[in-house]
Structures are given as structure tokens and as C-alpha cells.
Amino acid sequence: MLRTGTNSLDFDGINQMALRCPQELIRASEEDFAHQLEQVARDILAHSEAKIIFLAGPSSSGKTSTAQLLCTRLCEGGQCCHVISTDNFFIDSDRYPKLPDGSPNFDSFECLDLPLIRKCMTEVTQTGRTMLPAFDFAAGKQLLDQTPLQVGPHDHIIIEGIHSLNPRMHAGLSPERFYRVYVNVRSTIYREEEIILTPQDIRLTRRMIRDSAFRGYPASMTLSKWWSILAAEQVNIIPYRRQVEGVIDSTMWYEPCLYSHFLKRVEASGEVQDEQEKSKLDDLLRRAERFHPIPLEEVPSGALTGEFFGI
């Protein structure tokens, strides 16, 4: 068994399967994740009046893909489902709260247009229709009335984002009308008593790979911001993670076998110069190189890992 505890995975077992039969390792991991989605979907359907699902998780937890995959599961159960990102509800960036150093606090709940969120939820629950905003990240501007949303009386709405579990999001809604889901990398990979990768290691590596390869952000920027991201999570997510109805562990057992190629490329680029950040990158690469590599082509299309590896 690869899973040796509720939140622990066996390093030797992962490596043996990656060497012997990587397809079987991927299949077993994808089945474990699909089983979790199925359990949460069934529980949502059992709460017949809970039509609004608030789904949150910290940075690089896979919440965006999980929301889409959960939506698919609910649709397979005979329900229509719609996914809304709280990113669409950002206010103009020049109105963001400031950190002590004067820079914008992008992680603050106050960056969201809460009155507009409540207006849209009220309209859609009372009339089945609303107009969703959007956010122009390049210009830092809020765009109102961009996308019409029409919802049937039996449809579900998933509202995903780092702030979705904040009680202010569902203030005024009857408890039976909503369902909360917490998504995170929850499993640590061990070799006997030795910790090989922690959940934070996995999330940081995911974010570095995605930012560097697909968002045009250098790994140095991701590494320099990581500790402030973790500090913001202590305020915005951790206090609410136990006040949920469903929990999903987004650890993909095979993904460390994909890391070394990407991390070697980041290291070779020379973009990380800060001594402390380079030390962290080197440490992650050393750990990643202990896993038997799996070609990215083995990962199925539509897998959660595609959010970070561009599949």
C-alpha cells in the first residue's frame, strides 16, 4: 500500500511502482482522487437544498481543477453545475489595502467586491439569472456585467477561490442552502521516519513550475513571495478549514516523479540568485531527484496535475 496513514505516503512504494509500472501508479492515484470527488459529490446531492458550493484551498492546492472536476461529477449525477471564480470579483487594483511596506495586499479579503458577490448570489437564487463581472489582470481593472449566468432551479453553483470559506461570503444564506469544501495537498511523503516531501514542498514546487513555465514569472519571484503567501493563508484560510462539510486531498502520488526535469531547467536558467532562495531550490531539486522519473506524456489529459504542468 502506498498510503501508510491518513495523510502519509510511502516513498519506496511510489518509487518501485514508478520504475516497474508508472501507468499503474498514475491510475491508482487518479482513482484515489476520483473516489474523493465522488464521495463529496454524493454528499452534496444528499443535501438536497445545498445549491451553492463554496470551495477553497491555499495556493497551488489545485482548487481550480478540483472545482471543474467536481462540477463534472455533479453533472454526471444528473445535475447541472456552474463554476464561478472569486477572481472575477476583484475590485480595481488601486483600491487594494496596503501592506506595512506600502505595497498592495493582493491576498486581502478586501480586494473582493463583496456587495457585488452578494448581489449576484441573491439574483441567481431568487430569479435564476445574473450578470457576472470579470477582472482585467493586465490593467488591474474590474469589468462589470461581462457574462450572463442562467441557473435552473435544480442547478448547483461552485464558487471557488482562496476566500470562499470566509463566513462573510455566505452571510445571510441559510446553512442548508450551501455546502463548503476544503481542498489542499494534505499528504507527506515518508521513507520510514525520514520526511521526503511535505505538503508545502509540493505546493511550492507546483507553483514554481506553473509560474516559470506558463505564466512568465521567474522562479525567483515565486520563492521570494512564498513566505508571505503562507502568512496570508494563516489569516485567510486556516481559521475556516475545519468549518466545512467536505475535504479533498489533492496530493497526486506520482507527481514528484515529474518534478526533476522542470526544476533542473529552473536551476540551469540561473534566474534564482538570492542565496536563501537558491538553497531552497537546490534542496527541492535534491529531493525530486530521489524519485524515479516518469515522462509527462504518461499523465492523462484532464488530470489535476495539468493545472501545473500545462497538460
Side-chain angles (χ1 to χ4, degrees):
M1 290 292 292
L2 297 185
R3 190 169 287 285
T4 57
T6 304
N7 295 322
S8 58
L9 293 167
D10 177 47
F11 167 77
D12 288 329
I14 290 173
N15 250 1
Q16 289 167 13
M17 286 188 72
L19 176 62
R20 186 179 70 251
C21 187
Q23 297 88 351
E24 178 62 20
L25 173 61
I26 292 169
R27 183 198 61 78
S29 178
E30 292 292 337
E31 285 187 356
D32 176 79
F33 186 64
H35 178 66
Q36 295 182 71
L37 288 171
E38 184 66 27
Q39 286 185 312
V40 171
R42 287 182 179 179
D43 197 34
I44 290 170
L45 294 174
H47 290 71
S48 58
E49 293 187 50
K51 299 303 180 185
I52 299 179
I53 300 142
F54 293 99
L55 185 148
S59 175
S60 300
S61 60
K63 56 185 174 294
T64 300
S65 294
T66 301
Q68 294 292 343
L69 292 166
L70 180 59
C71 180
T72 300
R73 290 283 170 175
L74 290 169
C75 291
E76 290 171 352
Q79 305 290 322
C80 286
C81 186
H82 313 266
V83 178
I84 300 172
S85 171
T86 56
D87 287 1
N88 293 331
F89 289 89
F90 284 145
I91 60 175
D92 291 351
S93 59
D94 59 5
R95 296 167 53 200
Y96 289 176
K98 297 294 190 292
L99 292 168
D101 64 1
S103 62
N105 183 358
F106 297 104
D107 296 308
S108 171
F109 185 85
E110 306 308 321
C111 293
L112 294 179
D113 191 336
L114 185 58
L116 184 57
I117 292 173
R118 289 177 175 168
K119 175 178 178 290
C120 289
M121 283 197 296
T122 299
E123 288 177 350
V124 82
T125 53
Q126 292 183 354
T127 70
R129 297 171 182 268
T130 192
M131 288 293 293
L132 297 176
F135 187 76
D136 184 337
F137 281 89
K141 293 294 182 181
Q142 182 183 44
L143 306 173
L144 299 175
D145 299 335
Q146 294 297 299
T147 307
L149 176 66
Q150 185 168 342
V151 177
H154 303 295
D155 292 2
H156 288 89
I157 300 172
I158 299 177
I159 301 176
E160 69 91 2
I162 63 170
H163 295 294
S164 287
L165 296 182
N166 191 306
R168 294 166 65 186
M169 290 288 289
H170 51 76
L173 287 175
S174 300
E176 65 273 9
R177 298 298 304 275
F178 61 86
Y179 187 102
R180 294 162 295 185
V181 181
Y182 177 64
V183 180
N184 198 8
V185 176
R186 294 167 57 82
S187 295
T188 299
I189 301 177
Y190 292 92
R191 188 177 189 273
E192 297 177 347
E193 300 300 316
E194 180 189 7
I195 295 175
I196 306 298
L197 284 176
T198 67
Q200 283 188 13
D201 291 332
I202 293 171
R203 289 200 294 121
L204 172 57
T205 306
R206 282 179 174 183
R207 178 151 177 165
M208 257 199 307
I209 291 170
R210 180 182 62 189
D211 286 356
S212 178
F214 309 111
R215 294 188 173 182
Y217 301 153
S220 56
M221 181 182 296
T222 306
L223 286 163
S224 66
K225 292 170 55 179
W226 184 243
W227 307 114
S228 64
I229 290 169
L230 295 180
E233 291 170 2
Q234 293 294 320
V235 175
N236 298 316
I237 297 174
I238 300 305
Y240 314 120
R241 64 179 175 172
R242 300 192 188 281
Q243 303 166 16
V244 299
E245 288 70 48
V247 176
I248 294 175
D249 182 356
S250 66
T251 313
M252 307 308 289
W253 307 347
Y254 60 87
E255 68 176 288
C257 301
L258 307 173
Y259 288 164
S260 61
H261 169 72
F262 288 89
L263 291 177
K264 284 178 182 176
R265 192 165 64 188
V266 170
E267 184 181 56
S269 72
E271 63 187 46
V272 179
Q273 295 292 323
D274 179 85
E275 185 175 336
Q276 185 175 0
E277 293 164 9
K278 193 173 188 309
S279 174
K280 183 61 178 178
L281 174 62
D282 291 344
D283 179 58
L284 287 173
L285 178 55
R286 281 194 297 270
R287 293 167 186 265
E289 288 181 321
R290 296 178 66 178
F291 290 85
H292 186 78
I294 293 177
L296 193 60
E297 293 75 21
E298 297 286 354
V299 180
S301 176
L304 177 140
T305 42
E307 182 178 335
F308 307 99
F309 294 91
I311 303 169

